[in-house]
Amino acid sequence: MGALPAKKLRFGFRTALATASLAMLAQPALAGDKHRKASEPQRPNLVIFLADDLGRDVPPWGDGNARTPNITQLAKDGVSFDRAFVASPACAPSRAALLTGLMPARNGAEANQAAPRDDVRKLPAYLHDQGYEVVAFGKVAHYKQTGMYGFDHYEHDNFHDPEGIPSAIRWMKARKDKSKPLAIFIGSNWPHVPWPVTTEGYDPAALKLPPKTIDTPITRDARARYYAAVSKLDQELGETLATVDSTLGPDTFVLFSSDHGAQWPFGKWNLYDTGTRVPMIVRWRGHVLPNTRNDAMVSWVDILPTLVDLAGGKPAADIDGRSFAAALRTTKVNFQGRSEIYTTHNNDGSINVYPMRSVRTDQWKYIANLHPEYTYTTHIDLWVKRVDSGTYFPSWRRAAESDPAAKAIVDGYYHRPAEELYDVKADPEERHNLATDPRYADVLKGLRGKVAAWRAEQKDDHPVAGKPHFEEGPVDGVPEPAKKPGAGE
């Protein structure tokens, strides 16, 4: 399960200790809040800290490679959600789903780089209704889109802007007017590429590589530098939490998560768990029991209604998100989370055009590749000359010329069948596609029907942007087109 000794809570807090402890807790009053009657519930300060392209490659979820003392401590101080998923494994649609509570087809941000429609209500508006000051620093929305969401103040939402986290820290320290409760969203750019140029103390030879990875020296070097980037994220989180504790108080509500999996083959831009299943930890001293785990399935669209719930409000009834606040502040034993998680992906410009949809249950993952005749491509295999987009990928393709196991991995990257079915309990690495196995024909049919019905409800029938690829690119990649300053992946 992970490196931490923790109590695992499947359906909320259910021990006698939890009942006794939580029953005695009272929400601390918010200093300076003169706008609510004493009988009304207090509104906690809210801190949402977002990583960029971080998979579950951290010790709380069993990855012993990474050095992340602050993430590890946060998990010890709070509750870790073991089955948290994003709505889409690309930056813009994932973050738009969080900030609207709507899946991509309903909010309008389906392609990477896209923004939600103007007529869609955003999270800051909900929190404004509850009297909150709502601010953002760093990469919270996609690059240069933060101003579209209605934050009271925002700064440094550019690509890999080094001032993103420091600006949040300075702002919290300088904040004078505390008459309103605060909701502050802070987005790190780590561990998004480009990764550090050196391994910064990580030994490439000592790393355990992810499943479906081809072991070459340059691959190990790249993975070591990914972990170096993860450590930079961890440092930023630690600096932020120290400032939160000193300025907002140690009982502040803190949620930490990531927008999708790592930029690694079968991670980002994929609907496998390595692309859509993300770390999520909530620390809220006096409310959640420390060093606990919850394996209820939750989605990033659920974060909006949860925050609004904690703030004392109610989101619109027709959003896709569902509050999981019951798992954070009550002794209820019947919080079961979602029975199904739906995820979508369309494209990232014309570099990656491969629309797919999936549903995940407790046991099964079904993926519908809507255009299996397309060749799956990403920055990883096309922009190999760009620092860390995929400098190691040519070594995979050369290995595939003589190694059947390597060839199977490369072929599985480029070419996907129309349907994929995995027993995620028996095969958590999603290696064995059961879609053509007649023993699972009924399971396949049922999940196929669920995805079709869900797409109809979502009106998920919009044209997919971008020009698809129909063949594998050259081994050494293609020239990267000129980019506008500040543009990101």
Side-chain angles (χ1 to χ4, degrees), residues 134-392:
V134 191
V135 299
F137 295 85
K139 188 180 176 183
V140 173
H142 200 52
Y143 305 109
K144 294 299 184 184
Q145 292 181 2
T146 310
M148 304 175 185
Y149 284 89
F151 288 95
D152 296 313
H153 179 83
Y154 66 94
E155 295 181 16
H156 298 287
D157 63 336
N158 204 350
F159 178 67
H160 256 295
D161 189 329
E163 285 301 303
I165 304 302
S167 67
I169 291 172
R170 289 193 299 267
W171 189 90
M172 284 189 283
K173 289 180 177 180
R175 182 176 180 244
K176 301 299 183 184
D177 183 1
K178 301 180 182 180
S179 60
K180 293 182 177 181
L182 176 66
I184 180 169
F185 293 74
I186 303 170
S188 173
N189 275 165
W190 295 113
H192 197 292
V193 297
W195 300 321
V197 296
T198 67
T199 62
E200 300 193 6
Y202 283 94
D203 179 5
L207 298 179
K208 180 181 178 181
L209 296 176
K212 295 187 280 191
T213 292
I214 299 174
D215 191 348
T216 68
I218 191 173
T219 300
R220 286 187 166 274
D221 177 76
R223 192 69 183 179
R225 288 184 291 112
Y226 166 71
Y227 285 116
V230 172
S231 288
K232 288 185 177 294
L233 160 73
D234 186 78
Q235 180 180 352
E236 290 186 333
L237 175 66
E239 293 168 352
T240 300
L241 290 177
T243 304
V244 167
D245 292 350
S246 65
T247 60
L248 301 179
D251 297 335
T252 298
F253 175 93
V254 176
L255 186 150
F256 165 79
S257 193
S258 173
D259 61 350
H260 47 68
Q263 182 169 314
W264 196 256
F266 308 103
K268 181 178 181 179
W269 302 298
N270 287 275
L271 299 188
Y272 305 116
D273 273 13
T274 41
T276 61
R277 191 175 178 183
V278 293
M280 191 166 79
I281 303 169
V282 171
R283 188 195 78 177
W284 194 16
R285 293 190 177 101
H287 297 267
V288 302
L289 290 179
N291 199 24
T292 54
R293 309 186 82 100
N294 192 308
D295 71 350
M297 293 199 297
V298 296
S299 169
W300 254 37
V301 293
D302 300 331
I303 294 175
L304 182 152
T306 300
L307 298 181
V308 174
D309 193 345
L310 296 176
K314 291 185 178 182
D318 63 348
I319 65 170
D320 295 313
R322 308 171 188 172
S323 173
F324 55 84
L328 304 175
R329 65 180 182 187
T330 77
T331 57
K332 292 182 179 179
V333 298
N334 62 345
F335 177 74
Q336 299 185 22
R338 291 176 174 268
S339 60
E340 298 159 0
I341 293 284
Y342 292 92
T343 51
T344 79
H345 176 64
N346 274 8
N347 68 297
D348 189 341
S350 290
I351 293 295
N352 166 252
V353 183
Y354 205 83
M356 54 186 102
R357 304 292 184 265
S358 78
V359 61
R360 191 195 195 280
T361 68
D362 182 57
Q363 181 173 358
W364 300 101
K365 163 76 70 64
Y366 168 79
I367 301 174
N369 296 308
L370 304 184
H371 285 280
E373 73 276 16
Y374 294 175
T375 299
Y376 178 91
T377 59
T378 71
H379 305 70
I380 292 171
D381 64 289
L382 292 183
W383 289 0
V384 299
K385 295 180 181 179
R386 179 177 175 183
V387 176
D388 288 321
S389 277
T391 52
Y392 54 89

